[in-house]
């Protein structure tokens, strides 16, 4: 596998969770898996072993000196590409000033280094590429290395975790990434309206494409969700499938979650109320009506995709319902200010914490009664799956993986991406909360759902098998 993130080493979102838990699930079922990712500065490489000293990547005139460190985790070879010139700095994709300007080169070199690994260190049958950062692997394989016998027989699979991020750059990057320009820089290749589009290259040149839920696989073939690539995806629809992400219940289980002050299960829910009380106290909020006043939780990147501006838009209505709400998230600065202002205006009802905080994310999942995800689109979404496990009833927009994982029995769904519909859904859920018995039934149904990797890993293995046999 080739990726820009993998938990617990480097994480900004769900992609990392998948790369932290799918590979071990595959190993458990008998596959041999190596995961290639950059050795970002922030990764603690103590305990890793230098297994390859000189793996230079040539990009036309430039030479990038890479070496490979290996860290074994749950039987998976995590192979870190060390290249201080490109990865030796704080941040995965950027810093306070925005995305790094050399990202197109950083991830082109990742792809070339991964091919170096494939030829010299770990010989794969299938290279499974994740998102745009790994999308040049099939491009190089089908162009630069098309006649290189070292790679004969290797198949490529691209998984799209989020079509909204495509790695689109001006054509001027072409001189830095060493692709054979006449061969690939055209509308049937990596060109997109005069620019270079990495993800498009992955979609065109990989042998098969998956995305992270069946519903999202359908949605991305429509103009509404296709981000300009829907026609291309429709043309590849016989080589496109959705495989739902699993989650790692070793990390996310209210029965033994190391971040929680109390534990609980579907059989004994008492600990959940204690978690709610502790969470409210953590934010100095009143704990006088634990049984009757619902606590709404949000943990999210603050990106337009996540629809949190809709929450801000109907916050007055939410306040008037008398509920409490705890929000953890970072990203859009304007939205961070808005939630900060809301919390300052009504500290007994609303709390906001910026930044990234793993422990608090777990405590919000456990302590809340409902979890709000009003995403405009959601390829799979993990938080609503964690919520189900934690007996925290999800209130979600019926899109992508949210629609595939939440049912009318386990949560609440709304359809139009508007503050009005979101508000009505929250209001309806709040009314249902008053019937404690029915609510607990709903919680238990959610807690009984199983989204562990066992099923999805088997589906990937079936796909790898078909790719190996070229029976596609
Ligand atoms: P996406 O990948 O689009 O961000 P997902 O729901 O697939 O959305 O995955 C989000 C993951 O990132 C979850 O594991 C969630 O708990 C975590 N997460 C998001 N924001 C934060 C935050 N501010 N602090 C801690 N964890 C966060």
């Amino acid at each position: 596998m080739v990726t820009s993130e993998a938990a617990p080493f480097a994480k900004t979102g769900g992609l990392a969770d998948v790369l932290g838990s799918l590979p071990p699930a595959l190993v458990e079922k008998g596959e041999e898996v190596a995961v290639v990712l950059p050795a970002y500065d922030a990764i603690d490489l103590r305990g890793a072993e230098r297994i390859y000293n000189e793996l230079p990547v040539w990009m036309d005139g430039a030479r990038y000196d890479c070496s490979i460190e290996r860290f074994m985790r749950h039987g998976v070879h995590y192979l870190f590409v060390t290249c201080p010139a490109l990865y030796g700095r704080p941040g995965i994709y950027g810093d306070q000033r925005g995305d790094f300007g050399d990202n197109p080169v950083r991830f082109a070199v990742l792809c070339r280094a991964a091919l170096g690994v494939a030829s010299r260190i770990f010989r794969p049958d299938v290279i499974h590429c994740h998102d745009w950062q790994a999308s040049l692997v099939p491009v190089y394989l089908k162009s630069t290395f098309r006649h290189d016998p070292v790679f004969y027989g290797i198949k490529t699979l691209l998984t799209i975790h989020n079509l909204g991020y495509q790695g689109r750059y001006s054509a001027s990057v072409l001189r830095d990434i060493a692709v054979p320009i006449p061969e690939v820089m055209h509308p049937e290749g990596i060109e997109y309206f005069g620019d270079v589009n990495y993800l498009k290259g992955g979609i065109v040149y990989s042998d098969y494409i998956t995305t992270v839920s069946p519903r999202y696989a359908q949605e991305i073939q429509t103009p509404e969700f296709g981000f300009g690539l829907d026609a291309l995806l429709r043309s590849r629809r016989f080589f496109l499938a959705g495989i739902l992400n699993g989650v790692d219940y070793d990390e996310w289980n209210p029965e033994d979650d190391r971040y929680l002050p109390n534990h609980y299960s579907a059989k004994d829910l008492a600990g959940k109320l204690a978690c709610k009380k502790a969470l409210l106290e953590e934010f100095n909020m009143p704990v006088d009506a634990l049984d009757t006043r619902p606590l709404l939780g949000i943990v999210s990147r603050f990106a337009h995709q996540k629809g949190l501006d809709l929450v801000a838009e109907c916050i007055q209505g939410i306040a008037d319902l008398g509920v409490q709400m705890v929000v953890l998230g970072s990203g859009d600065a304007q939205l961070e200010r808005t939630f900060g202002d809301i919390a300052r205006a009504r500290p007994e009802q609303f709390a906001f914490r910026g930044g990234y905080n793993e422990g608090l994310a777990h405590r919000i999942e456990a302590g809340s009664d409902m979890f709000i995800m009003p995403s405009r689109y959601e390829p799979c979404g993990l938080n609503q799956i964690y919520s189900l496990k934690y007996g925290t009833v999800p209130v979600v927009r019926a899109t992508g993986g949210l629609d595939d994982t939440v049912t009318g029995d386990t949560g609440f769904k709304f359809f139009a991406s508007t503050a009005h519909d979101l508000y009505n859904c929250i209001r309806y859920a709040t009314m249902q909360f008053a019937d404690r018995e029915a609510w607990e039934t709903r919680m238990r149904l959610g807690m009984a759902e199983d989204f562990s990797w066992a099923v999805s890993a088997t589906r990937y293995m079936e796909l790898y098998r078909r790719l190996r046999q070229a029976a596609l």
Side-chain angles (χ1 to χ4, degrees):
M1 300 201 187
V2 186
T3 180
S4 57
E5 297 183 29
F9 308 107
K11 168 165 168 173
T12 71
L15 168 67
D17 288 319
V18 173
L19 269 295
S21 47
L22 170 60
L26 291 167
V27 166
E28 201 153 286
K29 290 178 178 297
E31 295 281 6
E32 244 186 288
V33 188
V35 177
V36 180
L37 74 161
Y40 305 111
D41 236 12
I43 298 177
D44 180 1
L45 281 176
R46 271 174 303 177
E49 177 193 2
R50 167 74 61 96
I51 58 162
Y52 212 88
N53 267 328
E54 280 180 50
L55 195 75
V57 170
W58 291 94
M59 288 290 189
D60 294 327
R63 175 191 159 122
Y64 297 92
D65 289 312
C66 302
S67 56
I68 303 292
E69 309 272 338
R70 180 177 61 193
F71 190 94
M72 294 300 295
R73 179 176 170 270
H74 302 318
V76 179
H77 304 243
Y78 283 89
L79 303 180
F80 294 93
V81 179
T82 303
C83 182
L86 296 176
Y87 313 129
R89 58 182 92 155
I92 296 181
Y93 305 120
D95 54 24
Q96 308 87 321
R97 281 167 298 175
D99 282 355
F100 296 131
D102 58 354
N103 276 348
V105 177
R106 295 171 78 227
F107 295 108
V109 169
L110 171 68
C111 293
R112 290 290 291 266
L115 289 170
V117 167
S119 68
R120 300 187 208 174
I121 300 172
F122 186 101
R123 165 88 200 173
D125 297 326
V126 177
I127 305 185
H128 186 166
C129 307
H130 296 270
D131 276 351
W132 71 264
Q133 293 88 350
S135 283
L136 290 187
V137 167
V139 176
Y140 289 126
L141 271 180
K142 294 265 165 73
S143 58
T144 313
F145 300 112
R146 193 161 36 139
H147 300 296
D148 188 335
V150 166
F151 297 109
Y152 279 177
I154 293 182
K155 300 294 171 47
T156 51
L157 169 63
L158 170 70
T159 294
I160 301 172
H161 296 259
N162 192 332
L163 192 61
Y165 301 85
Q166 300 182 356
R168 182 175 169 180
Y169 299 103
S170 110
S172 62
V173 306
L174 282 169
R175 61 168 186 265
D176 301 322
I177 60 173
V179 289
I181 296 171
E183 234 175 281
V184 300
M185 190 57 186
H186 51 76
E188 279 76 47
I190 63 174
E191 183 192 337
Y192 188 78
F193 293 103
D195 289 342
V196 172
N197 185 321
Y198 283 34
L199 189 71
K200 180 173 183 244
I203 295 170
V204 168
Y205 293 104
S206 58
D207 295 307
Y208 202 90
I209 303 149
T210 63
T211 177
V212 289
S213 70
R215 174 58 54 92
Y216 193 59
Q218 295 301 317
E219 286 175 343
I220 58 176
Q221 298 178 51
T222 66
E224 188 187 350
F225 294 95
F227 284 99
L229 296 179
D230 47 294
L232 172 64
L233 286 160
R234 281 198 301 281
S235 77
R236 296 227 60 198
R237 66 187 177 282
F238 299 118
F239 301 90
L240 167 65
I243 300 179
L244 197 66
N245 281 340
V247 298
D248 184 354
Y249 289 128
D250 287 340
E251 285 295 314
W252 292 92
N253 183 348
E255 291 180 42
D256 57 13
D257 186 324
R258 66 195 134 125
Y259 296 110
L260 302 187
N262 296 82
H263 295 126
Y264 59 94
S265 66
K267 280 195 215 77
D268 179 9
L269 290 169
K272 182 164 174 72
L273 206 63
C275 288
K276 177 175 179 179
K277 182 160 178 281
L279 179 62
L280 288 168
E281 282 167 351
E282 189 173 341
F283 285 96
N284 295 317
M285 295 165 91
V287 294
D288 51 338
L290 288 179
D291 281 328
T292 50
R293 176 158 42 176
L295 174 60
L296 282 49
I298 290 177
V299 179
S300 184
R301 287 185 298 117
F302 280 4
H304 184 69
Q305 170 199 347
K306 300 294 179 179
L308 297 173
D309 50 308
L310 303 178
V311 176
E313 201 180 321
C314 63
I315 202 73
Q316 186 62 53
I318 296 174
D320 292 345
L321 293 173
V323 301
Q324 291 171 306
M325 181 186 266
V326 174
V327 179
L328 166 65
S330 62
D332 183 86
Q334 173 67 43
L335 205 55
E336 286 184 27
R337 270 196 301 278
T338 304
F339 277 103
D341 289 346
I342 292 168
R344 269 186 298 279
R346 295 266 190 121
E348 70 295 343
Q349 262 190 300
F350 296 109
F352 167 66
R353 180 79 53 82
Y356 189 90
N357 189 326
E358 190 77 29
L360 183 56
H362 286 245
R363 292 195 294 280
I364 291 177
E365 284 289 2
S368 306
D369 296 299
M370 301 174 203
F371 196 90
I372 314 297
M373 281 181 85
S375 306
R376 292 196 161 81
Y377 71 94
E378 194 59 75
C380 177
L382 296 173
N383 279 309
Q384 83 283 9
I385 303 180
Y386 302 146
S387 299
L388 290 169
K389 188 73 182 171
Y390 281 67
T392 303
V393 175
V395 175
V396 304
R397 166 125 194 272
T399 184
L402 296 174
D403 204 21
D404 281 335
T405 53
V406 177
T407 70
D409 291 330
T410 58
F412 299 91
K413 303 199 230 190
F414 63 100
F415 292 87
S417 197
T418 62
H420 177 263
D421 279 30
L422 167 65
Y423 167 72
N424 276 331
C425 194
I426 292 177
R427 191 167 71 107
Y428 181 71
T430 302
M431 278 154 47
Q432 303 306 306
F433 185 76
D435 181 348
R436 189 67 205 170
E437 207 172 305
W439 191 266
E440 285 191 5
T441 303
R442 187 178 282 108
M443 285 167 66
R444 289 200 170 92
L445 281 172
M447 295 174 90
E449 295 266 21
D450 181 4
F451 292 101
S452 54
W453 271 107
V455 177
S456 300
T458 307
R459 297 216 40 213
Y460 278 110
M461 285 173 68
E462 171 61 18
L463 200 50
Y464 300 148
R465 192 184 60 75
R466 286 167 59 203
L467 281 162
R468 281 189 193 106
Q469 299 173 343
L472 281 167

